[in-house]
Structure formats: C-alpha cells, structure tokens
C-alpha cells in the first residue's frame, strides 16, 4: 500500500477508507454542532466568554465539548507529574538523551485564498508562505500552493429564537478535495558557538531569499505580456542570482507535495427588505428589494497528506509522510471567537528503500515517528457582512460581502518523537499505521502527555513504545492573526414558505490572512522514566537558549 493511503487511520477504520459517505456524515456533524452552538448563543450572559465557549464546543464536538466551560487555552493535562507552566520547572539531568535537540521559536505565515464558485461547483486556490525560527539558530522558509475542487450548497429559513435580531439564518456546507506542491528551504550557513547570532544572520538570508522569490514570481507573470523576451530573461536571471546569494543549502532543500480533503459548514444571520408597507407594493404583491447578512459561526474539518522529500542536510535522502487532521471553528460579530484542534502523525523512511519496496510490493520500514497535537483558542474583534439586491422581475440576486479582523490566541502544542532503530519497533509502527494487529491507528492516537504517565494495564504496544523511548515535549505560543475578505456573487433562490434553497450562479471570494506566533511560558520535556514509571517534566534548555527575533 502506498504511504499516502494510510491517512488519518486513527479516526476511522480501514474498511471505511475511500467511502465518500463518511465525509458527508462528518459534514452533517460539523453543521449540526454549529447550529447547536448558535442557538445557545441567542441570549449570552457574557458575549466574549460565550463566544469562546461555543466555538470551543464546535471544535471539541466529538468529546461533547469537554473542557470548554472557561474558554481557556489548552495544556490542562498534568502529564507525568511535573510542573505544567504555573511555576518553576526543575532542571533535567546533564546530557539527557531524552531532551529534543531544538524547538520552534516563532512562525510568520501569510496565506491568500481565492475561491470561484460556478453553480454547485467550488474551485479554490491558495498560496502560503511560512518563515520559521528554530532554537539551534537555523531558519526555514516554506512555500506551498494548493488547488481544490468541491461541491457546495446552502439553505435559509426563519429561526424563532432569532426573530428579534432579523428573523432569518442560512446554513451552508462544502465538501472538497485538492492537491498542492511547493518547497522548503533551510538557512543554516551561519554556524558558530552563538546560536542567537546565527539566528539573526540566517533570518536575514531567509528574508533576502523571500524577496527574490517574490521577484521571480513577477518575472513569471511577464510571460505572454508585451515585455520583451530579453527583459524577461534578465529579470529571471537577476532573481535566481539573488536567491543563490542568500545561501540556502540547496534549492529547494525539501520538495513538498500535498493532498487534502475538507468538509465545512456555517451559519449566517440576515434581514430581508421588501417594498411598500408590510412588505407589499401597491398591487398587494410582496416584492423583495434585497438583504443584509452577517456571519455567525463557521466550522471545518480538514485532512491533509503532505509528502516531504529531503535533498540536503542531516535528513538528505529521506521521505516523510505527514498526516494531519484538524477541526476549526470561528464565530461572532464585533467580539469574535476562534478555536482549532490539530492531530498530526509524521513517519519518515529512507527514500530509496521506500521507492524500491513500493515497486516490489513489500512492506515498508519507517525510521522515525513523530506525533503532534495542538489546541488553539482565542478571541478578538472583527466583522464579516454582506449585502444583496434582487434583479427586478427575476429570482436572481447580486451579492457583495467583505470583512476583516484581528484575533489574539493561545496555542498549546505537544509532541512525541521516536527513533525506530530496530526492526521490532519499525514493524510495530508500520502495523499501527496500516491498521494491522490488536492496536491499529484507527482505534487510538496516543497523547504525548499521556505517554509521560505510567502505562495502564490496557496500554497498547505503541503507547508503551512512546513512554519508554519517546522524546516528549510541550510548548505554548501567543499568536496574532490579521485577516480580510472580499466577495462578489450572482445568486439564484427558490422559496417555499419560510425556507429558501439557493445557490450561486457565479461567485468569487478572496481571503488574506497574516499570522505570527511566538513561544511563551516555560518549554518543557519529559525526562526518562523514574521509579514507578512516571516521566517528570523538566526545563527544556535546548529550547530556551535562544530567543525569537
């Protein structure tokens, strides 16, 4: 089986993979959770807290909204008995082999998404640029472009609990699949005994490279334009020279391909306007003039498979499959709430061996496993509104929309990394991923915090492997997200009583998001098992030796 086919096995059993009905059921679940959260928000006692709590419940619908009462961020697990960020963290033993070599200090991310809708078909394209600073003084720059095709539909109706607000709400849902590609560049040519100075120098190189990368895109856009071919070539050569001068180890260090599946749903509130007293004209007929609307809550579930082929550095010649499942919720006007839960499994193989095993139909043997989980909760200010007008004498409407805002959030991240240096451990992980054995990935995704505790009598072999050999770590970040959106659509609606089924004949939607996150709190890792089996959390010095720029 191809490594890309063992996606998200921990969420559903192998026999269900590839069945589109499962995704549609998931979409219904997301939308149902959103509607439930909206109805709970009709008369909130505390708007801010209620928004955070409702969004949290959308994201944690599978757990019954557990842990959402306060709206606080993640990180409430006690793990193996160490301090959880509320006070002094003890030092670990010198030269501890369980201490991870580096951590992510900060991340700046820019993403622009363009969505075009033709009737029920939705076509999406996005470009994402990400710059990451690491505690060992290195910097990575990653750019990925995505495209997807899906289906979408919506329905609107009057909701009794919202009559005083405006009397109507609409529900929408989308299912899409897509692919992406890109590259990652590592900037590590500045190496000394001072990782802080190295970080500053390598970040400068990365910024120069990013500027050259943007110039290269401008040069590519000249193709087919009136600009002379000589000028086009000169532009491109200058951009390439500037990229080479920025000293990445190779262009690119990592080749990236990506496939994704997304299901999403949302609720928006609106008020329609009719001509004449009581909404009727002189002849006594009802005549629609248009409407205004405001987004309430939206939610999405995304499954990504990213394949990384590394060309240089310590991981040269490796191929890594990264399987990510995330649930995202956002809602509110003026005061906004946002929450995201992410689960990720990354498995690394020797690329040449993997390719040959794939060709020969043999089982694979992974060399490294990394499990990462994160929870993000936040709030801020923002607005997303729309307005529509009817084309006289037709059921056609023209809609425009837009908005923007800022959300400040807290992110709690946990990770477990295991080097699979023997056949038994390698086979164990591969069997877990492929759904073989008594404890397949479809049954459980072990938590890094849980791995620091004494394994219970019912613990599976993977949980014991993570406890005995895993490098376990916990990090917290503060994040700031600025976003804006603009849309234009031509719609068509059919009404039956209080319910209206509608769709867009054509629509275009552009969203731009800039997000930066910076490490905070007390980074910690779990040292080796002590008497009784628990793994205490201690200070992660390899992470705190450098501060982000």
């Amino acid at each position: 089986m191809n490594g890309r086919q063992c996606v998200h096995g921990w969420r559903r059993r192998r026999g269900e993979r590839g069945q589109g009905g499962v995704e549609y059921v998931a979409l219904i679940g997301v939308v149902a959770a959103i509607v439930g959260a909206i109805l709970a928000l009709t008369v909130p006692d505390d708007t801010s807290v209620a928004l955070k709590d409702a969004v949290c419940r959308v994201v944690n619908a599978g757990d019954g909204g557990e842990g959402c009462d306060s709206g606080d961020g993640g990180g409430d697990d006690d793990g193996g008995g160490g301090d959880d960020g509320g006070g002094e963290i003890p030092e670990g033993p010198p030269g501890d082999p369980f201490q991870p070599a580096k951590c992510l200090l900060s991340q700046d991310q820019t993403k622009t998404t363009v969505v075009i809708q033709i009737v029920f078909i939705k076509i999406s394209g996005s470009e994402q640029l990400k710059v990451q600073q690491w505690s060992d003084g290195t910097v990575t720059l990653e750019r990925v472009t995505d495209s997807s095709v899906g289906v979408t539909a919506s329905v609107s109706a009057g909701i009794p609990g919202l009559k005083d607000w405006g009397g109507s709400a609409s529900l929408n849902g989308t299912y899409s699949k897509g692919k992406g590609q890109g590259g990652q560049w590592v900037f590590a040519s500045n190496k000394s005994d001072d990782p802080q100075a190295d970080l500053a120098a390598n970040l400068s190189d990365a910024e120069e490279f990013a500027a050259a990368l943007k110039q290269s895109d401008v040069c590519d856009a000249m193709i087919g334009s009136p600009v002379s071919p000589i000028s086009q070539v000169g532009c491109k050569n200058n951009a390439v020279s500037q990229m080479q001068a920025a000293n990445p180890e190779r262009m690119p260090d990592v080749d990236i391909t990506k496939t994704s599946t997304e299901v999403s749903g949302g609720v928006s509130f609106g008020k329609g306007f009719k001509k004449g007293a009581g909404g009727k004209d002189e002849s006594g007929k009802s005549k629609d003039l248009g409407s205004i609307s405001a987004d309430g809550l939206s939610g999405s579930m995304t499954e990504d498979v990213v394949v990384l082929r590394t060309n240089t550095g310590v991981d040269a010649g490796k191929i890594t499959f990264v399987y990510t499942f995330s649930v995202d919720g956002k809602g509110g006007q003026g005061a906004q709430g946002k929450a995201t839960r992410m689960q990720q499994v990354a498995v690394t193989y020797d690329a040449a061996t993997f390719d040959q095993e794939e060709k020969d139909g043999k089982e694979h043997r992974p060399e490294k496993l990394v499990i990462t989980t994160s929870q993000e909760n936040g709030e801020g200010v923002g607005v997303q509104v729309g307005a529509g007008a009817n084309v006289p004498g037709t059921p056609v409407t023209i809609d425009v929309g837009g908005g923007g805002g800022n959300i400040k959030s807290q992110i709690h991240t946990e990770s477990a990394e295991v080097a699979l240096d023997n056949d038994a451990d390698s086979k164990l992980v591969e069997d877990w991923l492929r759904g073989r054995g008594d404890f397949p990935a479809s049954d459980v995704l072990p938590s890094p915090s849980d791995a620091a505790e004494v394994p219970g009598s019912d613990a599976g072999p993977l949980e014991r492997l993570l406890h005995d050999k895993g490098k376990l770590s916990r990090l917290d970040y503060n994040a700031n997200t600025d976003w804006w959106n603009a849309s234009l659509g031509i719609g068509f609606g059919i009404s039956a009583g209080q319910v209206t089924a509608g769709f867009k004949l054509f629509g275009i939607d552009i969203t731009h998001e800039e997000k930066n996150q910076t490490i905070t709190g007390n980074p910690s890792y779990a040292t080796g098992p002590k008497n009784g089996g628990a793994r205490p959390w201690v200070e992660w010095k390899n992470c705190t030796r450098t501060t982000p720029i």
Side-chain angles (χ1 to χ4, degrees):
M1 181 188 298
N2 189 302
R4 304 180 194 185
Q5 293 176 311
C6 61
V7 190
H8 55 262
W10 61 87
R11 195 171 67 87
R12 64 178 189 240
R13 293 190 175 277
R14 186 176 179 180
E16 297 173 322
R17 294 176 187 171
Q19 297 180 7
V22 175
E23 280 80 6
Y24 284 104
V25 170
L27 172 56
I28 293 171
V30 173
V31 172
I34 293 169
V35 174
I38 277 294
L39 295 179
L41 273 177
T42 31
V43 190
D45 294 327
D46 185 313
T47 303
S48 176
V49 173
L51 279 170
K52 291 173 69 178
D53 182 52
V55 174
C56 181
R57 290 183 184 280
V58 172
V59 174
N60 295 283
D63 299 333
E66 195 172 324
C68 293
D69 292 337
S70 66
D72 293 334
D76 54 353
D77 294 327
D78 287 336
D83 186 270
D84 196 28
E88 289 293 327
I89 299 179
E91 290 189 11
D96 189 354
F98 285 95
Q99 180 173 194
K102 64 178 182 179
C103 71
L104 177 65
L105 296 176
S106 72
Q107 177 173 283
D108 292 320
Q109 177 178 304
T110 302
K111 183 176 182 179
T112 301
T113 303
V114 179
V115 178
I116 296 176
Q117 183 177 332
I118 302 174
V119 192
F120 294 106
I121 304 301
K122 180 174 283 189
I123 303 169
S124 174
S126 68
E127 179 175 334
Q128 179 174 281
L129 184 68
K130 186 187 301 180
V131 178
Q132 297 175 313
Q133 301 180 35
W134 299 87
S135 61
D136 63 350
T138 61
V139 175
T140 56
L141 184 151
E142 178 181 302
R143 185 173 72 166
V144 176
T145 57
D146 290 285
S147 61
S148 65
V149 177
V151 293
T152 183
S154 64
V155 62
S156 63
I159 296 181
L162 300 175
K163 281 184 177 179
D164 293 339
W165 192 93
S168 67
S170 66
L171 184 68
N172 65 80
T174 297
Y175 172 82
S176 64
K177 294 183 72 71
K179 293 184 178 181
Q181 62 181 6
Q184 183 186 87
W185 294 264
V186 179
F187 297 85
S189 59
N190 299 282
K191 299 177 182 178
S192 69
D193 295 331
D194 184 354
Q196 190 69 54
D198 296 340
L199 182 63
N202 288 325
L203 180 60
S204 177
D205 288 344
E207 290 171 342
E208 290 182 18
F209 186 87
L213 203 59
K214 186 176 295 185
Q215 180 184 334
S216 179
D217 291 339
V218 173
C219 300
D220 291 338
M222 292 181 180
I223 298 175
S225 70
V227 178
S228 71
I230 294 178
S231 297
Q232 294 177 26
V233 172
C235 176
K236 191 70 173 182
N237 288 341
N238 182 57
V240 172
S241 297
Q242 188 175 342
M243 283 189 280
Q244 292 173 338
N247 292 321
E249 295 182 9
R250 186 173 170 180
M251 298 189 297
D253 289 272
V254 180
D255 294 312
I256 300 174
T257 57
K258 176 182 178 181
T259 59
S260 62
T261 301
E262 178 178 354
V263 289
S264 61
V267 174
S268 62
F269 309 124
K271 182 173 179 60
F273 297 92
K274 299 179 183 294
K275 181 178 180 180
K280 297 185 178 183
D281 60 16
E282 295 82 357
S283 63
K285 294 182 178 180
S286 176
K287 190 168 184 179
D288 291 333
L289 296 180
S291 63
I292 59 172
S293 64
D295 280 0
L297 276 181
S298 61
S300 65
M301 295 191 296
T302 305
E303 296 173 343
D304 289 333
V305 186
V306 176
V307 183
L308 310 173
R309 283 185 178 267
T310 307
N311 302 313
T312 61
V314 295
D315 290 326
K318 306 296 183 184
I319 182 171
T320 300
F321 294 87
V322 184
Y323 310 109
T324 305
F325 173 65
S326 60
V327 183
D328 182 86
K330 180 180 178 182
Q333 292 290 332
Q336 291 193 327
K338 174 183 178 180
T340 301
R341 171 186 281 185
M342 185 274 291
Q343 296 176 317
Q344 184 180 87
V345 174
V347 194
T348 300
Y349 305 82
D350 178 81
T353 303
F354 180 93
D355 292 340
Q356 189 62 47
E357 290 169 344
E358 192 75 3
K359 182 179 179 180
D360 298 339
K362 295 181 178 179
E363 291 186 3
H364 304 301
R365 286 292 178 265
E367 298 181 348
K368 184 171 70 173
L369 168 71
V370 180
I371 293 176
T372 304
T373 64
S374 73
Q375 178 78 36
E376 178 177 359
N377 286 315
E379 62 180 343
V381 294
V383 64
Q384 179 73 41
V385 297
N390 295 98
V391 177
T394 73
V396 175
T397 61
I398 298 177
D399 301 300
V400 294
N406 172 270
I407 292 180
K408 297 184 183 301
S409 55
Q410 294 76 44
I411 305 173
H412 178 75
T413 300
E414 299 183 358
S415 182
E417 176 183 330
V418 183
L420 308 174
D421 52 10
N422 62 77
D423 286 342
D425 291 346
S426 183
K427 178 173 173 47
L428 165 62
V429 169
E430 187 70 6
D431 286 347
W432 176 75
L433 281 169
R434 309 295 177 177
R436 298 189 291 254
D438 296 330
F439 295 87
S442 55
D443 289 339
V444 62
L445 180 66
S447 160
S449 270
D450 290 343
E453 299 177 351
V454 180
S457 58
D458 59 344
L462 182 68
E463 294 170 286
R464 294 184 181 278
L465 175 65
L466 294 178
H467 173 269
D468 295 343
K469 299 183 178 181
K471 292 183 177 181
L472 312 176
S473 59
R474 302 195 296 200
L475 293 168
D476 290 286
Y477 299 90
N478 285 333
N480 184 78
T481 303
D482 291 303
W483 63 275
W484 60 261
N485 168 268
S487 63
L488 170 66
I490 301 174
F492 184 91
I494 302 175
S495 298
Q498 282 193 323
V499 178
T500 299
F503 58 88
K504 287 184 180 178
L505 297 172
F506 174 80
I508 184 169
D509 186 285
I510 302 173
T511 302
H512 181 80
E513 183 177 282
E514 295 184 12
K515 179 178 181 178
N516 59 75
Q517 66 182 63
T518 305
I519 195 168
T520 185
N522 299 313
S524 59
Y525 77 94
T527 188
K530 302 301 181 183
N531 292 336
R535 297 183 56 179
W537 293 94
V538 297
E539 182 184 358
W540 188 358
K541 289 192 173 181
N542 284 345
C543 187
T544 56
R545 63 184 175 180
T546 314
T547 57
I549 298 172

